[in-house]
């Protein structure tokens, strides 16, 4: 979940998901030092210097208009995937119009010393619009409900076709990983586990990491059909749900499988 914003002719601001900041920085340094050493590129981590927060939803622009003024967040001033720096009462804020929820959304990046003040002002401006503070647990529930894959599904073993994302591949140009996808067992011709949604039928949580089987009482070794990647309780569905990867998905759609995990005995 990263973006690159051009903030000056030769200066770029790169964001990543919080948990991947170190890995992305390491990967960029590897390429700068070994793959393209002839490029005059300097990489500096500013993760500790900035606080970041997101304002998302159909009224997000109204909230930020109360904080920065209506002209600061119009489509003209800040188009989709745009970035601009503003100042409010002497506090600098970098506004990036991006969305990871599918709705209109903005990210606010400010020097860490101003983080609490900007947060408090954003919450105060949002009260009249019904703003609700949310965290990563709510985001996880929402993304599992909509079948949006994340790190648990993107675990280094899945292909874009396993997750229904093959249309994101360039059909007639090169991209990172193209040659790997031409190898046997990775070219999509062999049967592979693909993404499915899961719903608990007995009221118990779906154990994350559990193996999916047709019959847990079958003679060992029990054939493994797939595994559970993510799980949560869904207020929308009113049940425990999850995302998993299952072999022969079309054959099993709408049918019952068992999520077996020795650690939970379920």
């Amino acid at each position: 979940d990263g973006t690159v914003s051009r903030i000056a002719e030769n200066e770029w601001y790169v964001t990543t998901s919080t948990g991947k900041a170190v890995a992305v920085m390491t990967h960029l340094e590897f390429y700068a030092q070994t793959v393209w050493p002839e490029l005059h590129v300097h990489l500096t981590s500013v993760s500790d210097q900035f606080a970041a927060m997101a304002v998302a939803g159909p009224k997000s622009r109204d909230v930020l208009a109360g904080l920065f003024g209506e002209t600061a967040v119009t489509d003209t001033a800040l188009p989709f995937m745009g970035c601009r720096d503003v100042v409010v009462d002497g506090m600098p804020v970098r506004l990036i119009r991006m969305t990871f929820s599918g709705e209109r959304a903005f990210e606010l990046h400010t020097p860490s010393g101003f983080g609490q003040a900007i947060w408090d002002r954003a919450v105060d401006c949002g009260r009249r619009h019904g703003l609700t503070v949310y965290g990563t647990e709510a985001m996880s529930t929402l993304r599992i409900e909509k079948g949006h894959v994340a790190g648990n599904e993107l675990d280094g073993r899945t292909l874009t076709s396993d997750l229904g994302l093959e249309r994101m591949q360039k059909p007639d140009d090169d991209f990172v990983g193209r040659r790997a996808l031409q190898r046997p067992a990775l070219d999509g011709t062999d049967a592979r586990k693909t993404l499915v949604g899961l719903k608990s039928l007995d009221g118990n949580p779906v154990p994350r990491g559990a193996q999916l089987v047709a019959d847990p009482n079958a003679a060992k070794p029990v054939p493994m059909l797939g595994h559970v990647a993510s799980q949560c309780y869904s207020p929308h569905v009113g049940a425990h749900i999850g995302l998993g990867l299952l072999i022969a998905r079309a054959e099993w759609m709408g049918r019952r499988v068992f999520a077996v995990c020795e650690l939970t005995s379920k």
Side-chain angles (χ1 to χ4, degrees):
D1 294 339
T3 61
V4 181
S5 300
R6 189 173 190 172
I7 57 178
E9 183 173 353
N10 294 309
E11 187 174 359
W12 307 79
Y13 186 70
V14 181
T15 70
T16 74
S17 58
T18 305
K20 295 294 184 180
V22 173
V24 170
M25 184 68 179
T26 301
H27 197 64
L28 291 175
E29 284 283 10
F30 169 79
Y31 269 83
Q33 295 179 31
T34 65
V35 181
W36 296 306
E38 71 279 6
L39 298 181
H40 298 290
V41 176
H42 302 278
L43 303 166
T44 302
S45 174
V46 294
S47 295
D48 292 340
Q49 283 69 49
F50 279 84
M53 62 207 77
V55 180
K59 296 184 180 180
S60 56
R61 175 179 285 153
D62 298 328
V63 174
L64 296 186
L67 182 58
F68 303 112
E70 292 186 5
T71 59
V73 289
T74 63
D75 284 337
T76 301
L78 191 60
F80 180 62
M81 296 302 291
C83 173
R84 65 172 304 192
D85 292 335
V86 299
V87 177
V88 53
D89 291 340
M91 296 182 289
V93 179
R94 178 161 294 151
L95 291 173
I96 306 176
R97 186 175 167 190
M98 67 171 83
T99 177
F100 292 107
S101 64
E103 297 181 318
R104 179 184 291 127
F106 303 81
E107 284 195 1
L108 285 61
H109 296 240
T110 187
S112 54
F114 299 126
Q116 187 65 55
I118 295 298
W119 172 279
D120 291 340
R121 290 186 179 216
V123 171
D124 185 60
C125 289
R127 285 196 179 97
R128 74 194 72 169
H129 301 290
L131 180 141
T132 298
V133 175
Y134 70 96
T136 54
E137 190 71 20
M139 290 176 60
S140 179
T141 298
L142 289 168
R143 71 101 182 166
I144 293 173
E145 286 181 340
K146 67 170 62 177
H148 180 80
V149 297
N152 294 343
E153 293 76 42
L154 308 173
D155 61 1
R157 298 177 296 173
T158 51
L159 308 179
T160 51
S161 55
D162 299 338
L163 306 170
L165 301 177
E166 57 269 35
R167 289 182 299 171
M168 297 181 68
Q169 297 174 191
K170 295 178 181 178
D172 52 6
D173 200 357
D174 198 17
F175 56 85
V176 175
R178 185 181 184 93
R179 281 174 291 281
L181 292 176
Q182 296 170 351
R183 297 171 59 187
L186 297 181
D187 59 7
T189 56
D190 291 344
R192 293 182 55 84
K193 300 174 185 176
T194 51
L195 185 70
V196 293
L198 304 166
K199 177 183 176 182
S200 174
L201 297 178
D202 61 7
N204 291 318
V206 181
R208 178 182 166 189
Q211 294 295 314
L212 298 174
V213 301
D215 181 3
N217 299 314
K220 296 182 178 180
V222 180
M224 303 298 175
L225 303 175
H227 67 276
V228 179
S230 303
Q231 63 84 29
C232 69
Y233 177 79
S234 168
H236 177 70
V237 178
H240 293 278
I241 63 172
L243 295 178
L245 289 134
L246 187 69
I247 198 77
R249 177 178 63 181
E251 177 183 335
W252 286 98
M253 288 296 288
R255 297 174 60 189
R256 182 176 66 173
V257 294
F258 291 86
V260 180
C261 179
E262 293 295 332
L263 296 177
T264 61
S265 298
K266 296 177 182 178

